[in-house]
Amino acid sequence: MRDKNIKIEVTDGAAIPSRKDPGLFNAWRVTLIGTIISIVSLVIFKPDPYLRIIKFVPDGIIITFQVTFLSIALSLIVGLFTGLGRLSKNRTINLIASIYVEVIRGIPLLVQLFYIYYALGSFFKIHPFTAAITAMTVCYGAYMGEVFRAGIQSIDKGQTEAARSLGFSKSQTMFYVIIPQAMRTILPPVGNEFIALLKDTSLVSILAVSDLLRRGREFATQTFAYFETYTMIALLYLMITLILSKIVSILEERVKPYDQK
Amino acid sequence: MTKSDDPIITIENVYKFFGDIEALSNVSLKVKKKEKMVIIGPSGSGKSTLLRAINRLEGVDRGKIVIDGQDITDKNCNINKVRMELGMVFQNFNLFPHKSVLQNLTMAPIKLKKIPQAQARENAMSLLEKVGIKEKATAYPAQLSGGQQQRVAIARALAMNPKIMLFDEPTSALDPEMIGEVLDVMVNLALEGMTMVVVTHEMGFARQVADWVVFMDEGKIVETGTPEHFFQSPEHPRTKKFLSQIL
């Protein structure tokens, strides 16, 4: 039968804490506690400017989350079609999907953001928020496509043959048999991409989208408290990604082998 | 309608190449309704390729294969329709691991034949009873032994109510003590009058069940005959050598 322990390695997400690391002082716990202590003590012992920063940035956190979740949802859809396209036997579809992945992976996200907002923006008016979501989706759609492709390819060929021999068409086989199984393999790397994407949303601050980083910059330019502001922004990002990586690790844990339901 | 004398499977002058290798070389065969044909031969002889060509899991490069009046080598043939009439059992079972045993059996009838769920479940339960594994209906494939999985796989194929059953080395991946339980199910199926094409190394099964035994080597059919002919007086030296090695 198929190997139940297939894992797809993805490079740029945060470290996902392992639940098998039993120590009280594992890296995740120490970092999280350190972060919380830092934030709390800075706010208590030096409320000016740290408390003021904390009060200034929540709108930014909301925008950061909005960009993250919208981009994730859209890039999952783009990714599914890209992954299927990369596996297609139709040479044209396959080529289009492969070129898309090659092009996107070869251009820095920041350049893509500039390109969509400023370069394409010179032809038609585009809202910064829309440009941000579009760029993130186009970029992460390509990465997600590779994750989907790997996930689908990890399913044993015998599964396809069994489904086809019963009379299922190609698309029914994909939909009823392959993708439901691939989801389990795909979940951890998708979680990883999720965290990487959240961090990368900080780039959209360059397009005048008032995300967490942008709000921090606004505060810093008003008060000249650069050191304090960016210290707090870094700590806030760190806390968000730590919590997210924990959620991903819990999800990963819940994806049990089929015989443990 | 096909008369019972007409072949339900007709294979005519079929060729199949894997690169330069001739996997099937001018193979012709006929199987009539209710007949049981056993294909034997050394590994790499093309016997699995031939079996897989019957439901087009393996396309052929030349020749014609007609299943119950439908030419499946014709590009316009609706292969999915034909496959519903052809049950297939694999060496590695290939059960759907994300579905329970019962769901493995009901999925295709519900989705493809639009059979109501309650009826599909009822059919499935009686098939599971037939293969002696009713108590495992709610289990998942990974919780079953190899022999149990293969019996479920046979039941899954039967759930589509096929006219023909194809078996591709159904016992080769099993521990020796589990081979018997699977062969018993296959013998019963044969006694009920199912048309069967079986690729196997189980000579006892061939002797007991087969109407015809086909010996293949290097992509060709070397010899065809009744089990009596085969195991008592094989003609071709290649057949004699093969039988002497495995018996």
Side-chain angles (χ1 to χ4, degrees):
Chain A
M1 294 229 75
R2 58 186 276 267
D3 183 0
K4 292 186 199 102
N5 300 315
I6 297 163
K7 277 208 176 165
I8 302 161
E9 296 293 336
V10 169
T11 47
D12 59 348
I16 303 294
S18 166
R19 287 207 133 198
K20 285 171 191 128
D21 187 353
L24 192 60
F25 294 103
N26 65 32
W28 182 82
R29 283 200 183 127
V30 172
T31 318
L32 182 71
I33 292 165
T35 309
I36 292 171
I37 291 174
S38 304
I39 294 175
V40 170
S41 51
L42 286 173
V43 167
I44 290 175
F45 295 114
K46 212 164 174 262
D48 185 29
Y50 288 109
L51 189 57
R52 284 172 54 209
I53 300 169
I54 293 266
K55 284 180 176 168
F56 191 79
V57 296
D59 317 2
I61 296 178
I62 290 168
I63 296 283
T64 292
F65 279 135
Q66 280 175 351
V67 174
T68 305
F69 287 108
L70 277 171
S71 308
I72 279 280
L74 292 171
S75 63
L76 280 173
I77 298 167
V78 173
L80 177 60
F81 284 104
T82 309
L84 290 174
R86 292 266 281 157
L87 293 167
S88 171
K89 284 198 179 116
N90 180 318
R91 291 195 65 177
T92 318
I93 294 175
N94 192 314
L95 195 65
I96 292 171
S98 303
I99 290 174
Y100 163 61
V101 172
E102 286 302 323
V103 168
I104 295 306
R105 292 212 298 189
I107 301 173
L109 177 54
L110 188 55
V111 177
Q112 292 177 38
L113 278 164
F114 275 25
Y115 198 84
I116 286 177
Y117 186 58
Y118 293 112
L120 297 183
S122 62
F123 297 112
F124 45 87
K125 211 171 146 37
I126 183 164
H127 192 274
F129 190 78
T130 317
I133 301 281
T134 310
M136 301 296 290
T137 301
V138 168
C139 177
Y140 273 85
Y143 293 128
M144 292 289 189
E146 289 301 273
V147 173
F148 272 102
R149 182 177 65 89
I152 289 168
Q153 277 181 325
S154 74
I155 305 302
D156 187 75
K157 227 180 95 211
Q159 291 292 309
T160 306
E161 291 188 344
R164 295 306 305 277
S165 77
L166 286 166
F168 285 106
S169 69
K170 269 186 196 170
S171 53
Q172 285 171 325
T173 299
M174 199 42 94
F175 190 70
Y176 295 129
V177 177
I178 306 301
I179 291 177
Q181 293 182 54
M183 280 306 168
R184 294 169 166 257
T185 330
I186 285 170
L187 190 67
V190 163
N192 240 328
E193 291 293 297
F194 192 84
I195 294 163
L197 191 149
L198 183 130
K199 290 188 296 175
D200 277 352
T201 58
S202 62
L203 291 170
V204 307
S205 62
I206 216 98
L207 306 186
V209 175
S210 303
D211 75 329
L212 177 53
L213 181 59
R214 179 84 185 187
R215 289 292 284 168
R217 211 170 89 188
E218 285 166 10
F219 187 87
T221 45
Q222 283 167 28
T223 60
F224 302 106
Y226 289 102
F227 177 80
E228 295 83 348
T229 309
Y230 288 122
T231 304
M232 187 51 80
I233 296 295
L235 286 169
L236 288 174
Y237 269 113
L238 183 56
M239 197 156 98
I240 293 169
T241 44
L242 283 170
I243 291 166
L244 265 182
S245 65
K246 189 67 181 176
I247 293 171
V248 171
S249 108
I250 290 167
L251 281 177
E252 212 173 312
E253 183 70 16
R254 289 185 60 170
V255 181
K256 286 179 183 156
Y258 295 112
D259 53 349
Q260 290 173 23
K261 279 197 180 178
Chain B
M1 284 295 293
T2 36
K3 281 184 285 173
S4 65
D5 276 5
D6 289 339
I8 192 166
I9 303 174
T10 309
I11 300 172
E12 272 173 21
N13 310 102
V14 160
Y15 288 82
K16 166 83 183 171
F17 301 92
F18 290 121
D20 289 339
I21 300 160
E22 254 185 336
L24 294 177
S25 176
N26 198 15
V27 173
S28 298
L29 265 184
K30 282 190 165 82
V31 182
K32 288 181 191 160
K33 258 187 191 168
K34 300 198 174 188
E35 274 184 343
K36 292 105 191 77
M37 179 169 282
V38 171
I39 306 174
I40 60 173
S43 60
S45 61
K47 54 193 193 305
S48 279
T49 309
L50 177 61
L51 190 80
R52 290 159 57 85
I54 294 175
N55 69 354
R56 217 166 87 181
L57 281 183
E58 214 70 79
V60 298
D61 295 314
R62 256 198 282 163
K64 202 165 143 183
I65 299 176
V66 182
I67 308 296
D68 200 20
Q70 298 250 28
D71 181 358
I72 64 160
T73 44
D74 179 357
K75 279 205 165 162
N76 297 321
C77 150
N78 182 352
I79 190 66
N80 297 328
K81 267 258 153 60
V82 179
R83 281 175 177 154
M84 289 187 208
E85 308 287 327
L86 287 163
M88 177 134 184
V89 176
F90 298 87
Q91 185 176 343
N92 296 317
F93 331 131
N94 294 338
L95 293 176
F96 304 134
H98 62 304
K99 299 279 183 192
S100 71
V101 165
L102 192 65
Q103 287 168 331
N104 262 277
L105 267 68
T106 57
M107 196 170 142
I110 291 172
K111 306 276 190 209
L112 297 174
K113 288 193 160 175
K114 312 289 175 205
I115 289 173
Q117 197 161 347
Q119 198 193 327
R121 290 170 76 98
E122 207 177 297
N123 291 348
M125 286 312 287
S126 69
L127 283 171
L128 286 175
E129 191 165 14
K130 194 163 141 186
V131 300
I133 203 164
K134 201 179 171 187
E135 71 284 358
K136 295 285 187 186
T138 57
Y140 280 81
Q143 295 167 310
L144 305 181
S145 72
Q148 291 172 325
Q149 289 192 47
Q150 194 59 299
R151 285 186 281 149
V152 173
I154 294 171
R156 177 177 68 177
L158 291 173
M160 286 297 278
N161 203 11
K163 289 182 180 156
I164 304 163
M165 284 287 284
L166 309 173
F167 292 84
D168 188 4
E169 301 199 29
T171 56
S172 297
L174 295 175
D175 290 336
E177 74 269 24
M178 291 171 184
I179 290 175
E181 64 192 64
V182 172
L183 289 180
D184 285 347
V185 170
M186 290 168 64
V187 169
N188 285 333
L189 200 57
L191 293 176
E192 284 170 21
M194 176 63 77
T195 311
M196 293 163 71
V197 182
V198 184
V199 171
T200 187
H201 296 294
E202 293 298 324
M203 294 305 142
F205 175 82
R207 222 174 247 174
Q208 188 184 349
V209 168
D211 296 308
W212 301 103
V213 179
V214 174
F215 174 67
M216 286 185 75
D217 192 23
E218 292 175 345
K220 296 183 183 69
I221 292 178
V222 176
E223 195 165 349
T224 307
T226 60
E228 294 76 40
H229 160 85
F230 237 88
F231 296 110
Q232 281 153 26
S233 52
E235 279 161 23
H236 202 281
R238 186 69 191 87
T239 318
K240 284 180 191 162
K241 193 174 165 227
F242 177 75
L243 288 173
S244 72
Q245 277 165 345
I246 59 161
L247 288 178

